[in-house]
Amino acid sequence: MDKILIPRGLQRTSFGNFLMWILPWTAMLAVGVYAIYLCLAEGLFHTNMDNRFAFGIWIFLDLTVIALGAGAFFTGFLLYILRRKELKAVINSAVVIGLICYSGAVLVLAVDVGQPMRAWFTFWHPNVHSMLTEVTFCLTCYLIVLLIEYIPIVLKNRQLRQIPKFLVFEFQLHKLMPVFAGIGTFLSFFHQGSLGGLFGVLRGRPFAFREELGIWPSTFFLFVISAAAAGPSFIMLTTWLVEKITRKQLVKPEVYKFLGKVSGTMLIAYVLLKSIDTLFWINSTSPGNGFPAFEFYATQSFGTWILFTEIVFFGLLPALVLLNSRLRENRKILLGAGFLVCSGIMLNRFVMTIQTLALPTLPFDDFLTYSPSWEEVATFLFVVAYGMLLYSLTYRYSVIFPQERELSQMNGELSQQEFADGGSRRPFWQPKFVTDLLNKFVSTKL
Amino acid sequence: MLPWVYEFHWTAFHITFLLIFFTVFVVVVSTVILAMRRTQQAEKDNTMESIQWHSDFDDLSPAFKVCRHELNGDVKHRVCDHGFDCRSCTVHPLLVSKQQKHPLLQFEVYGFTMPPYRMYHRGHTWVQEENDGTYKIGIDDFGTRILGRAYSVELPPVGTRLSVNGKGMLVKKSNMNIRILSPIDGEVIEQGDSEKGWYLKVKADDSKKVTAHLLKGEEIPNWILRELERLQISFATCGVGATLADGGELAPDFHRHYPKADWDGVIGQMFLEA
């Protein structure tokens, strides 16, 4: 049905199967739209946040997706500035993931602020002393850069490339990509850093407060390095997931290994710096603010196990695995380590937001608890659904993985049996009788 | 944000922060404008077709970009990085000088009629030099069979300048539009048709170098064999599924046997369109 839109030489599932795949995500998106509408139209009382617990699931999501989306800037930096050609195989995927993560984060921030009609205030009347102003400016600019980087992917669509001007514009834009990669790296360095820099002004929260090194607190650098470590791992995991869902090999094994090596190198640097930072905080910063550090871990839910898990289990362990070339040869171990890295970054952002606000800091404070409302969860799921839809549509109608053609030809992966239903593959998530019914329906229609 | 906007202060922080922001903004916008201007310039300079071909060529899989010298067995493995234009390749002349030339005598190559006095472009067109120094251009037998029976060809008008790997002609079949690459540089001086057996007569720009990139003589059987493999690959990835080499010939109208295949995909790939 939509064959003319699918890139030449690439096999995609039938239109019916694709509709079945996007249906649940579209439903999830619709629920999210309703939740967002409630929050924006009626007010933020729909959330379970209050004046004391102002960092909820949304900020946690924002910090996490921005860190995971760092693969876009870091891959671009390695490919276009440091000329690591291996990453050409995943750069498009990194851009799409980056676009999803950043646009999702900006959207959730807009809902979190709750005043979308006054969003322009932050640009027109910026408080230049605020780290969040820097974050807002850098996020917006980088989102524009990601949109520009996304244009060539769209223009490579089979029908759009028939228009000569589009294809030539894509070519010219592609030639200028190092400029965008450089700007992206600059902006990402500052917004990732500024998100961490926020903890340099949280003097009232000694659990998260960090002292300054020069003009920035240690968390500024830790956020940048941890994002650079998690980004490549997240690209590795998403690529593997797309391969599993589509049952195709999309990149060569060397690409996985290289991503793993990059992630491991950045991670070991992060673990080292994080350990020094934690020791300094335990022995100097926290006692200096009147709190023995281990008092923060006295509550059962957030014991010292969380610190150990973050630094050792999600940090040191995967770093050592990813730096070992023999272990990188084993795909399961490589992906397992990548999963630990991504889990580590999620845990770190959780600790820095939710745990920070839950812990009591004043004598009359209690341990605060918070659980998100359904509207908050639905908004979170909106971003997930939006991401799945954008990625699925881009994958179907454009070329995300440039090695896909070559690999599908090399593998000779397409067998007669797979095309017995008229050229469509049965997705792994779909029972056979549904595929048969869909194909019957499509062929009757045609 | 700006000096006349409420809450702007003439402080170092304000000025530095906003200067950095405006610099980033200006660089982003001017880079996009530069890309647009270069696109316009390419249109003026008539280099759009060349860029289109480079984009198409870049998107072809390495298996489709094998160097002619690998086909001939001169080198073990080599992927072309000159868009099948050997005239700009520095390795090509070195390898040509080492070749032992044996002229091809047969007309039939793996079931295809490929007259040895013609030269062939990788995009399935042939070039034949006439006594008056002009060149006739047509679609080769392999290409004709892939296109099947019912198709029409849109030809460039007389006086049009053609460039190697630019658009030579446009084939229309059902809802498909397939561009056929021009095999040589030159000016169209006469239009032909399928009944005449050729489509264009061209006055070449530089008669010495005009055919250096085209396949000749004993190169043709090796190339056709590889094209048959390429056709199988295209079938496999365009909805026909696995096909087996049985040593037979390509049936004249094999399209009707695979009605569900993505024929635009197969034909496009065979004519080097990504």
Side-chain angles (χ1 to χ4, degrees), chain B residues 113-115 117-130 135-144 169 180-184 193 196-200 214-215 223:
Chain B
T113 308
M114 309 293 277
Y117 51 81
R118 285 177 180 167
M119 293 161 281
Y120 296 87
H121 183 262
R122 301 281 288 262
H124 289 291
T125 45
W126 55 257
V127 175
Q128 186 179 319
E129 190 173 3
E130 298 293 287
Y135 292 87
K136 275 182 184 167
I137 296 174
I139 300 173
D140 69 26
D141 192 29
F142 195 107
T144 310
M169 41 193 135
I180 308 289
L181 296 171
S182 168
I184 52 172
D193 55 43
K196 286 181 183 169
W198 54 272
Y199 286 108
L200 295 170
L214 299 174
L215 302 174
W223 169 57

mmCIF file of all heavy atoms in Angstrom, chain B residues 113-115 117-130 135-144 169 180-184 193 196-200 214-215 223:
data_model
loop_
_atom_site.group_PDB
_atom_site.id
_atom_site.type_symbol
_atom_site.label_atom_id
_atom_site.label_comp_id
_atom_site.label_asym_id
_atom_site.label_seq_id
_atom_site.Cartn_x
_atom_site.Cartn_y
_atom_site.Cartn_z
ATOM 1 N N THR B 113 21.816 -10.001 -25.823
ATOM 2 C CA THR B 113 22.486 -9.546 -27.038
ATOM 3 C C THR B 113 23.317 -8.306 -26.710
ATOM 4 O O THR B 113 22.764 -7.235 -26.439
ATOM 5 C CB THR B 113 21.424 -9.208 -28.114
ATOM 6 O OG1 THR B 113 20.560 -10.336 -28.234
ATOM 7 C CG2 THR B 113 22.064 -8.912 -29.461
ATOM 8 N N MET B 114 24.617 -8.480 -26.699
ATOM 9 C CA MET B 114 25.519 -7.375 -26.337
ATOM 10 C C MET B 114 26.590 -7.247 -27.426
ATOM 11 O O MET B 114 27.697 -7.781 -27.296
ATOM 12 C CB MET B 114 26.212 -7.641 -24.986
ATOM 13 C CG MET B 114 25.275 -8.010 -23.844
ATOM 14 S SD MET B 114 24.188 -6.679 -23.322
ATOM 15 C CE MET B 114 25.209 -5.766 -22.235
ATOM 16 N N PRO B 115 26.273 -6.565 -28.530
ATOM 17 C CA PRO B 115 27.244 -6.454 -29.629
ATOM 18 C C PRO B 115 28.598 -5.937 -29.141
ATOM 19 O O PRO B 115 28.645 -4.944 -28.403
ATOM 20 C CB PRO B 115 26.596 -5.451 -30.582
ATOM 21 C CG PRO B 115 25.143 -5.503 -30.258
ATOM 22 C CD PRO B 115 25.050 -5.810 -28.808
ATOM 23 N N TYR B 117 30.914 -4.349 -30.613
ATOM 24 C CA TYR B 117 31.379 -3.049 -31.131
ATOM 25 C C TYR B 117 30.772 -1.877 -30.356
ATOM 26 O O TYR B 117 31.045 -0.727 -30.655
ATOM 27 C CB TYR B 117 31.055 -2.931 -32.636
ATOM 28 C CG TYR B 117 29.609 -3.250 -32.977
ATOM 29 C CD1 TYR B 117 28.612 -2.294 -32.796
ATOM 30 C CD2 TYR B 117 29.266 -4.504 -33.468
ATOM 31 C CE1 TYR B 117 27.294 -2.597 -33.100
ATOM 32 C CE2 TYR B 117 27.953 -4.809 -33.774
ATOM 33 C CZ TYR B 117 26.964 -3.861 -33.589
ATOM 34 O OH TYR B 117 25.674 -4.157 -33.880
ATOM 35 N N ARG B 118 29.952 -2.205 -29.399
ATOM 36 C CA ARG B 118 29.384 -1.131 -28.578
ATOM 37 C C ARG B 118 30.117 -1.059 -27.237
ATOM 38 O O ARG B 118 30.711 -2.044 -26.799
ATOM 39 C CB ARG B 118 27.897 -1.402 -28.297
ATOM 40 C CG ARG B 118 27.021 -1.136 -29.486
ATOM 41 C CD ARG B 118 25.586 -1.495 -29.173
ATOM 42 N NE ARG B 118 24.736 -1.241 -30.321
ATOM 43 C CZ ARG B 118 23.493 -1.694 -30.423
ATOM 44 N NH1 ARG B 118 22.958 -2.430 -29.469
ATOM 45 N NH2 ARG B 118 22.776 -1.413 -31.493
ATOM 46 N N MET B 119 30.014 0.107 -26.599
ATOM 47 C CA MET B 119 30.585 0.275 -25.252
ATOM 48 C C MET B 119 29.420 0.453 -24.278
ATOM 49 O O MET B 119 28.387 1.009 -24.661
ATOM 50 C CB MET B 119 31.499 1.502 -25.228
ATOM 51 C CG MET B 119 32.734 1.321 -26.084
ATOM 52 S SD MET B 119 33.508 2.888 -26.509
ATOM 53 C CE MET B 119 32.480 3.482 -27.821
ATOM 54 N N TYR B 120 29.631 -0.024 -23.059
ATOM 55 C CA TYR B 120 28.497 -0.077 -22.130
ATOM 56 C C TYR B 120 28.754 0.715 -20.848
ATOM 57 O O TYR B 120 29.848 0.686 -20.295
ATOM 58 C CB TYR B 120 28.191 -1.544 -21.783
ATOM 59 C CG TYR B 120 27.742 -2.319 -23.000
ATOM 60 C CD1 TYR B 120 28.688 -2.924 -23.830
ATOM 61 C CD2 TYR B 120 26.409 -2.382 -23.347
ATOM 62 C CE1 TYR B 120 28.294 -3.597 -24.980
ATOM 63 C CE2 TYR B 120 26.002 -3.056 -24.491
ATOM 64 C CZ TYR B 120 26.952 -3.658 -25.315
ATOM 65 O OH TYR B 120 26.543 -4.305 -26.442
ATOM 66 N N HIS B 121 27.678 1.371 -20.428
ATOM 67 C CA HIS B 121 27.725 2.125 -19.170
ATOM 68 C C HIS B 121 27.128 1.254 -18.078
ATOM 69 O O HIS B 121 26.255 0.427 -18.346
ATOM 70 C CB HIS B 121 26.908 3.428 -19.333
ATOM 71 C CG HIS B 121 26.935 4.309 -18.129
ATOM 72 N ND1 HIS B 121 25.931 4.317 -17.197
ATOM 73 C CD2 HIS B 121 27.860 5.213 -17.700
ATOM 74 C CE1 HIS B 121 26.224 5.198 -16.244
ATOM 75 N NE2 HIS B 121 27.390 5.745 -16.532
ATOM 76 N N ARG B 122 27.597 1.451 -16.830
ATOM 77 C CA ARG B 122 27.128 0.597 -15.731
ATOM 78 C C ARG B 122 25.630 0.787 -15.453
ATOM 79 O O ARG B 122 25.012 -0.020 -14.764
ATOM 80 C CB ARG B 122 27.928 0.895 -14.455
ATOM 81 C CG ARG B 122 29.434 0.681 -14.577
ATOM 82 C CD ARG B 122 29.822 -0.766 -14.470
ATOM 83 N NE ARG B 122 29.700 -1.292 -13.143
ATOM 84 C CZ ARG B 122 30.688 -1.423 -12.259
ATOM 85 N NH1 ARG B 122 31.899 -1.038 -12.592
ATOM 86 N NH2 ARG B 122 30.485 -1.932 -11.073
ATOM 87 N N GLY B 123 25.061 1.868 -15.949
ATOM 88 C CA GLY B 123 23.628 2.113 -15.772
ATOM 89 C C GLY B 123 22.788 1.552 -16.908
ATOM 90 O O GLY B 123 21.670 1.996 -17.150
ATOM 91 N N HIS B 124 23.336 0.540 -17.647
ATOM 92 C CA HIS B 124 22.637 -0.190 -18.709
ATOM 93 C C HIS B 124 22.247 0.641 -19.926
ATOM 94 O O HIS B 124 21.124 0.560 -20.429
ATOM 95 C CB HIS B 124 21.423 -0.965 -18.144
ATOM 96 C CG HIS B 124 21.878 -2.112 -17.318
ATOM 97 N ND1 HIS B 124 22.485 -3.212 -17.858
ATOM 98 C CD2 HIS B 124 21.883 -2.288 -15.985
ATOM 99 C CE1 HIS B 124 22.837 -4.029 -16.886
ATOM 100 N NE2 HIS B 124 22.494 -3.498 -15.731
ATOM 101 N N THR B 125 23.182 1.451 -20.357
ATOM 102 C CA THR B 125 23.029 2.092 -21.671
ATOM 103 C C THR B 125 24.246 1.702 -22.500
ATOM 104 O O THR B 125 25.295 1.372 -21.945
ATOM 105 C CB THR B 125 22.977 3.634 -21.555
ATOM 106 O OG1 THR B 125 23.993 4.055 -20.662
ATOM 107 C CG2 THR B 125 21.629 4.114 -21.082
ATOM 108 N N TRP B 126 24.078 1.733 -23.809
ATOM 109 C CA TRP B 126 25.222 1.470 -24.675
ATOM 110 C C TRP B 126 25.563 2.716 -25.503
ATOM 111 O O TRP B 126 24.710 3.585 -25.712
ATOM 112 C CB TRP B 126 25.013 0.249 -25.586
ATOM 113 C CG TRP B 126 23.770 0.270 -26.456
ATOM 114 C CD1 TRP B 126 22.634 -0.423 -26.227
ATOM 115 C CD2 TRP B 126 23.569 0.995 -27.678
ATOM 116 N NE1 TRP B 126 21.710 -0.175 -27.204
ATOM 117 C CE2 TRP B 126 22.264 0.677 -28.113
ATOM 118 C CE3 TRP B 126 24.339 1.864 -28.433
ATOM 119 C CZ2 TRP B 126 21.711 1.204 -29.281
ATOM 120 C CZ3 TRP B 126 23.795 2.398 -29.604
ATOM 121 C CH2 TRP B 126 22.497 2.070 -30.016
ATOM 122 N N VAL B 127 26.782 2.755 -25.968
ATOM 123 C CA VAL B 127 27.256 3.876 -26.786
ATOM 124 C C VAL B 127 27.929 3.286 -28.025
ATOM 125 O O VAL B 127 28.715 2.355 -27.914
ATOM 126 C CB VAL B 127 28.280 4.731 -26.002
ATOM 127 C CG1 VAL B 127 28.866 5.816 -26.895
ATOM 128 C CG2 VAL B 127 27.641 5.343 -24.779
ATOM 129 N N GLN B 128 27.576 3.812 -29.163
ATOM 130 C CA GLN B 128 28.176 3.308 -30.406
ATOM 131 C C GLN B 128 28.697 4.486 -31.219
ATOM 132 O O GLN B 128 27.941 5.427 -31.506
ATOM 133 C CB GLN B 128 27.116 2.537 -31.198
ATOM 134 C CG GLN B 128 27.674 1.851 -32.428
ATOM 135 C CD GLN B 128 26.583 1.077 -33.149
ATOM 136 O OE1 GLN B 128 25.749 0.425 -32.523
ATOM 137 N NE2 GLN B 128 26.572 1.174 -34.466
ATOM 138 N N GLU B 129 29.979 4.413 -31.565
ATOM 139 C CA GLU B 129 30.572 5.519 -32.324
ATOM 140 C C GLU B 129 30.192 5.397 -33.795
ATOM 141 O O GLU B 129 30.286 4.311 -34.388
ATOM 142 C CB GLU B 129 32.099 5.518 -32.165
ATOM 143 C CG GLU B 129 32.726 6.779 -32.719
ATOM 144 C CD GLU B 129 34.209 6.879 -32.421
ATOM 145 O OE1 GLU B 129 34.771 5.932 -31.832
ATOM 146 O OE2 GLU B 129 34.792 7.906 -32.791
ATOM 147 N N GLU B 130 29.769 6.495 -34.381
ATOM 148 C CA GLU B 130 29.387 6.512 -35.804
ATOM 149 C C GLU B 130 30.580 6.982 -36.644
ATOM 150 O O GLU B 130 31.545 7.543 -36.107
ATOM 151 C CB GLU B 130 28.200 7.458 -36.016
ATOM 152 C CG GLU B 130 26.948 7.044 -35.251
ATOM 153 C CD GLU B 130 26.360 5.748 -35.765
ATOM 154 O OE1 GLU B 130 25.773 5.740 -36.858
ATOM 155 O OE2 GLU B 130 26.497 4.717 -35.063
ATOM 156 N N TYR B 135 27.888 9.924 -31.587
ATOM 157 C CA TYR B 135 27.646 8.690 -30.832
ATOM 158 C C TYR B 135 26.151 8.428 -30.716
ATOM 159 O O TYR B 135 25.382 9.344 -30.405
ATOM 160 C CB TYR B 135 28.245 8.806 -29.427
ATOM 161 C CG TYR B 135 29.750 8.852 -29.431
ATOM 162 C CD1 TYR B 135 30.423 10.070 -29.585
ATOM 163 C CD2 TYR B 135 30.504 7.698 -29.294
ATOM 164 C CE1 TYR B 135 31.810 10.128 -29.591
ATOM 165 C CE2 TYR B 135 31.894 7.733 -29.306
ATOM 166 C CZ TYR B 135 32.537 8.952 -29.448
ATOM 167 O OH TYR B 135 33.901 8.997 -29.456
ATOM 168 N N LYS B 136 25.784 7.164 -30.914
ATOM 169 C CA LYS B 136 24.396 6.762 -30.687
ATOM 170 C C LYS B 136 24.307 6.177 -29.286
ATOM 171 O O LYS B 136 25.238 5.507 -28.822
ATOM 172 C CB LYS B 136 23.974 5.697 -31.693
ATOM 173 C CG LYS B 136 23.489 6.256 -33.010
ATOM 174 C CD LYS B 136 23.058 5.102 -33.886
ATOM 175 C CE LYS B 136 22.656 5.600 -35.269
ATOM 176 N NZ LYS B 136 22.527 4.489 -36.215
ATOM 177 N N ILE B 137 23.188 6.433 -28.647
ATOM 178 C CA ILE B 137 22.983 5.918 -27.282
ATOM 179 C C ILE B 137 21.683 5.122 -27.252
ATOM 180 O O ILE B 137 20.668 5.546 -27.823
ATOM 181 C CB ILE B 137 22.885 7.079 -26.263
ATOM 182 C CG1 ILE B 137 24.212 7.836 -26.204
ATOM 183 C CG2 ILE B 137 22.505 6.574 -24.884
ATOM 184 C CD1 ILE B 137 24.169 9.081 -25.330
ATOM 185 N N GLY B 138 21.704 3.979 -26.580
ATOM 186 C CA GLY B 138 20.489 3.185 -26.410
ATOM 187 C C GLY B 138 20.505 2.458 -25.084
ATOM 188 O O GLY B 138 21.498 2.506 -24.343
ATOM 189 N N ILE B 139 19.389 1.801 -24.760
ATOM 190 C CA ILE B 139 19.323 0.989 -23.534
ATOM 191 C C ILE B 139 19.748 -0.418 -23.913
ATOM 192 O O ILE B 139 19.260 -0.966 -24.911
ATOM 193 C CB ILE B 139 17.897 0.997 -22.939
ATOM 194 C CG1 ILE B 139 17.490 2.440 -22.594
ATOM 195 C CG2 ILE B 139 17.809 0.114 -21.706
ATOM 196 C CD1 ILE B 139 16.048 2.596 -22.151
ATOM 197 N N ASP B 140 20.655 -1.026 -23.130
ATOM 198 C CA ASP B 140 21.156 -2.346 -23.520
ATOM 199 C C ASP B 140 20.102 -3.435 -23.311
ATOM 200 O O ASP B 140 19.044 -3.188 -22.710
ATOM 201 C CB ASP B 140 22.495 -2.663 -22.826
ATOM 202 C CG ASP B 140 22.350 -2.876 -21.333
ATOM 203 O OD1 ASP B 140 21.277 -3.269 -20.876
ATOM 204 O OD2 ASP B 140 23.345 -2.639 -20.604
ATOM 205 N N ASP B 141 20.395 -4.624 -23.822
ATOM 206 C CA ASP B 141 19.415 -5.707 -23.800
ATOM 207 C C ASP B 141 19.037 -6.102 -22.372
ATOM 208 O O ASP B 141 17.880 -6.416 -22.081
ATOM 209 C CB ASP B 141 19.988 -6.918 -24.558
ATOM 210 C CG ASP B 141 18.930 -7.971 -24.821
ATOM 211 O OD1 ASP B 141 17.745 -7.593 -24.951
ATOM 212 O OD2 ASP B 141 19.266 -9.171 -24.868
ATOM 213 N N PHE B 142 20.010 -6.070 -21.493
ATOM 214 C CA PHE B 142 19.740 -6.390 -20.087
ATOM 215 C C PHE B 142 18.704 -5.408 -19.532
ATOM 216 O O PHE B 142 17.689 -5.792 -18.942
ATOM 217 C CB PHE B 142 21.055 -6.300 -19.286
ATOM 218 C CG PHE B 142 20.996 -6.929 -17.922
ATOM 219 C CD1 PHE B 142 21.628 -8.133 -17.664
ATOM 220 C CD2 PHE B 142 20.307 -6.309 -16.889
ATOM 221 C CE1 PHE B 142 21.580 -8.710 -16.404
ATOM 222 C CE2 PHE B 142 20.251 -6.879 -15.635
ATOM 223 C CZ PHE B 142 20.890 -8.075 -15.383
ATOM 224 N N GLY B 143 18.958 -4.126 -19.749
ATOM 225 C CA GLY B 143 18.055 -3.083 -19.268
ATOM 226 C C GLY B 143 16.680 -3.192 -19.905
ATOM 227 O O GLY B 143 15.658 -3.036 -19.231
ATOM 228 N N THR B 144 16.659 -3.475 -21.209
ATOM 229 C CA THR B 144 15.382 -3.577 -21.929
ATOM 230 C C THR B 144 14.533 -4.711 -21.351
ATOM 231 O O THR B 144 13.330 -4.566 -21.166
ATOM 232 C CB THR B 144 15.644 -3.839 -23.427
ATOM 233 O OG1 THR B 144 16.585 -2.877 -23.880
ATOM 234 C CG2 THR B 144 14.376 -3.730 -24.236
ATOM 235 N N MET B 169 17.745 10.036 -20.008
ATOM 236 C CA MET B 169 16.350 9.944 -20.449
ATOM 237 C C MET B 169 15.502 9.468 -19.286
ATOM 238 O O MET B 169 16.030 9.067 -18.244
ATOM 239 C CB MET B 169 16.217 9.016 -21.655
ATOM 240 C CG MET B 169 17.043 7.769 -21.612
ATOM 241 S SD MET B 169 17.093 6.953 -23.226
ATOM 242 C CE MET B 169 18.809 6.534 -23.395
ATOM 243 N N ILE B 180 17.303 7.282 -16.554
ATOM 244 C CA ILE B 180 18.397 6.495 -17.119
ATOM 245 C C ILE B 180 19.607 7.422 -17.214
ATOM 246 O O ILE B 180 19.498 8.540 -17.749
ATOM 247 C CB ILE B 180 18.027 5.958 -18.534
ATOM 248 C CG1 ILE B 180 16.680 5.225 -18.509
ATOM 249 C CG2 ILE B 180 19.132 5.075 -19.100
ATOM 250 C CD1 ILE B 180 16.657 3.905 -17.812
ATOM 251 N N LEU B 181 20.735 6.958 -16.728
ATOM 252 C CA LEU B 181 21.922 7.818 -16.685
ATOM 253 C C LEU B 181 22.516 8.010 -18.072
ATOM 254 O O LEU B 181 22.543 7.068 -18.878
ATOM 255 C CB LEU B 181 22.977 7.200 -15.767
ATOM 256 C CG LEU B 181 22.590 7.069 -14.293
ATOM 257 C CD1 LEU B 181 23.635 6.250 -13.553
ATOM 258 C CD2 LEU B 181 22.437 8.434 -13.644
ATOM 259 N N SER B 182 23.004 9.208 -18.298
ATOM 260 C CA SER B 182 23.679 9.467 -19.572
ATOM 261 C C SER B 182 25.061 8.822 -19.533
ATOM 262 O O SER B 182 25.798 9.008 -18.565
ATOM 263 C CB SER B 182 23.806 10.979 -19.782
ATOM 264 O OG SER B 182 24.688 11.216 -20.839
ATOM 265 N N PRO B 183 25.425 8.094 -20.587
ATOM 266 C CA PRO B 183 26.746 7.432 -20.561
ATOM 267 C C PRO B 183 27.899 8.344 -20.952
ATOM 268 O O PRO B 183 29.047 8.050 -20.640
ATOM 269 C CB PRO B 183 26.584 6.305 -21.578
ATOM 270 C CG PRO B 183 25.524 6.780 -22.516
ATOM 271 C CD PRO B 183 24.634 7.711 -21.762
ATOM 272 N N ILE B 184 27.601 9.429 -21.672
ATOM 273 C CA ILE B 184 28.701 10.321 -22.113
ATOM 274 C C ILE B 184 28.317 11.797 -21.979
ATOM 275 O O ILE B 184 27.146 12.133 -21.820
ATOM 276 C CB ILE B 184 29.122 10.048 -23.593
ATOM 277 C CG1 ILE B 184 27.903 10.074 -24.515
ATOM 278 C CG2 ILE B 184 29.878 8.749 -23.721
ATOM 279 C CD1 ILE B 184 28.262 10.015 -25.988
ATOM 280 N N ASP B 193 14.142 6.318 -31.461
ATOM 281 C CA ASP B 193 13.060 5.622 -30.747
ATOM 282 C C ASP B 193 13.357 4.132 -30.727
ATOM 283 O O ASP B 193 14.360 3.683 -31.294
ATOM 284 C CB ASP B 193 11.697 5.928 -31.374
ATOM 285 C CG ASP B 193 11.652 5.609 -32.846
ATOM 286 O OD1 ASP B 193 12.185 4.539 -33.218
ATOM 287 O OD2 ASP B 193 11.133 6.429 -33.633
ATOM 288 N N LYS B 196 13.947 2.410 -34.129
ATOM 289 C CA LYS B 196 15.256 2.650 -34.750
ATOM 290 C C LYS B 196 16.356 1.853 -34.033
ATOM 291 O O LYS B 196 17.442 1.655 -34.567
ATOM 292 C CB LYS B 196 15.615 4.145 -34.694
ATOM 293 C CG LYS B 196 14.834 5.009 -35.660
ATOM 294 C CD LYS B 196 15.289 6.461 -35.521
ATOM 295 C CE LYS B 196 14.476 7.374 -36.438
ATOM 296 N NZ LYS B 196 14.706 8.791 -36.145
ATOM 297 N N GLY B 197 16.065 1.469 -32.791
ATOM 298 C CA GLY B 197 17.048 0.693 -32.034
ATOM 299 C C GLY B 197 17.982 1.561 -31.203
ATOM 300 O O GLY B 197 18.864 1.065 -30.521
ATOM 301 N N TRP B 198 17.830 2.856 -31.287
ATOM 302 C CA TRP B 198 18.621 3.767 -30.455
ATOM 303 C C TRP B 198 17.744 4.955 -30.063
ATOM 304 O O TRP B 198 16.721 5.213 -30.693
ATOM 305 C CB TRP B 198 19.891 4.242 -31.174
ATOM 306 C CG TRP B 198 19.647 4.866 -32.533
ATOM 307 C CD1 TRP B 198 19.575 4.210 -33.717
ATOM 308 C CD2 TRP B 198 19.408 6.253 -32.830
ATOM 309 N NE1 TRP B 198 19.303 5.076 -34.741
ATOM 310 C CE2 TRP B 198 19.213 6.356 -34.220
ATOM 311 C CE3 TRP B 198 19.357 7.407 -32.073
ATOM 312 C CZ2 TRP B 198 18.954 7.567 -34.858
ATOM 313 C CZ3 TRP B 198 19.109 8.632 -32.704
ATOM 314 C CH2 TRP B 198 18.913 8.694 -34.081
ATOM 315 N N TYR B 199 18.150 5.663 -29.021
ATOM 316 C CA TYR B 199 17.304 6.737 -28.514
ATOM 317 C C TYR B 199 17.876 8.141 -28.738
ATOM 318 O O TYR B 199 17.126 9.077 -28.963
ATOM 319 C CB TYR B 199 17.031 6.539 -27.020
ATOM 320 C CG TYR B 199 16.046 5.434 -26.762
ATOM 321 C CD1 TYR B 199 16.460 4.227 -26.224
ATOM 322 C CD2 TYR B 199 14.706 5.595 -27.070
ATOM 323 C CE1 TYR B 199 15.556 3.204 -25.994
ATOM 324 C CE2 TYR B 199 13.789 4.583 -26.849
ATOM 325 C CZ TYR B 199 14.216 3.381 -26.307
ATOM 326 O OH TYR B 199 13.317 2.381 -26.095
ATOM 327 N N LEU B 200 19.181 8.253 -28.658
ATOM 328 C CA LEU B 200 19.778 9.589 -28.795
ATOM 329 C C LEU B 200 21.013 9.543 -29.680
ATOM 330 O O LEU B 200 21.754 8.554 -29.673
ATOM 331 C CB LEU B 200 20.194 10.141 -27.415
ATOM 332 C CG LEU B 200 19.096 10.417 -26.397
ATOM 333 C CD1 LEU B 200 19.715 10.714 -25.041
ATOM 334 C CD2 LEU B 200 18.223 11.592 -26.829
ATOM 335 N N LEU B 214 33.759 3.712 -20.085
ATOM 336 C CA LEU B 214 32.760 2.716 -20.496
ATOM 337 C C LEU B 214 33.377 1.317 -20.594
ATOM 338 O O LEU B 214 34.573 1.170 -20.853
ATOM 339 C CB LEU B 214 32.159 3.128 -21.840
ATOM 340 C CG LEU B 214 31.432 4.479 -21.832
ATOM 341 C CD1 LEU B 214 30.998 4.863 -23.247
ATOM 342 C CD2 LEU B 214 30.217 4.443 -20.907
ATOM 343 N N LEU B 215 32.544 0.309 -20.396
ATOM 344 C CA LEU B 215 33.020 -1.077 -20.422
ATOM 345 C C LEU B 215 33.107 -1.541 -21.878
ATOM 346 O O LEU B 215 32.223 -1.245 -22.690
ATOM 347 C CB LEU B 215 32.060 -1.979 -19.649
ATOM 348 C CG LEU B 215 31.835 -1.607 -18.190
ATOM 349 C CD1 LEU B 215 30.757 -2.487 -17.575
ATOM 350 C CD2 LEU B 215 33.120 -1.734 -17.386
ATOM 351 N N TRP B 223 30.932 -8.395 -16.350
ATOM 352 C CA TRP B 223 29.987 -7.408 -15.819
ATOM 353 C C TRP B 223 28.556 -7.965 -15.835
ATOM 354 O O TRP B 223 27.822 -7.842 -14.860
ATOM 355 C CB TRP B 223 30.098 -6.122 -16.657
ATOM 356 C CG TRP B 223 29.018 -5.116 -16.387
ATOM 357 C CD1 TRP B 223 28.710 -4.550 -15.194
ATOM 358 C CD2 TRP B 223 28.090 -4.567 -17.336
ATOM 359 N NE1 TRP B 223 27.668 -3.680 -15.332
ATOM 360 C CE2 TRP B 223 27.265 -3.666 -16.635
ATOM 361 C CE3 TRP B 223 27.894 -4.729 -18.706
ATOM 362 C CZ2 TRP B 223 26.245 -2.941 -17.263
ATOM 363 C CZ3 TRP B 223 26.886 -3.992 -19.323
ATOM 364 C CH2 TRP B 223 26.073 -3.125 -18.611
#
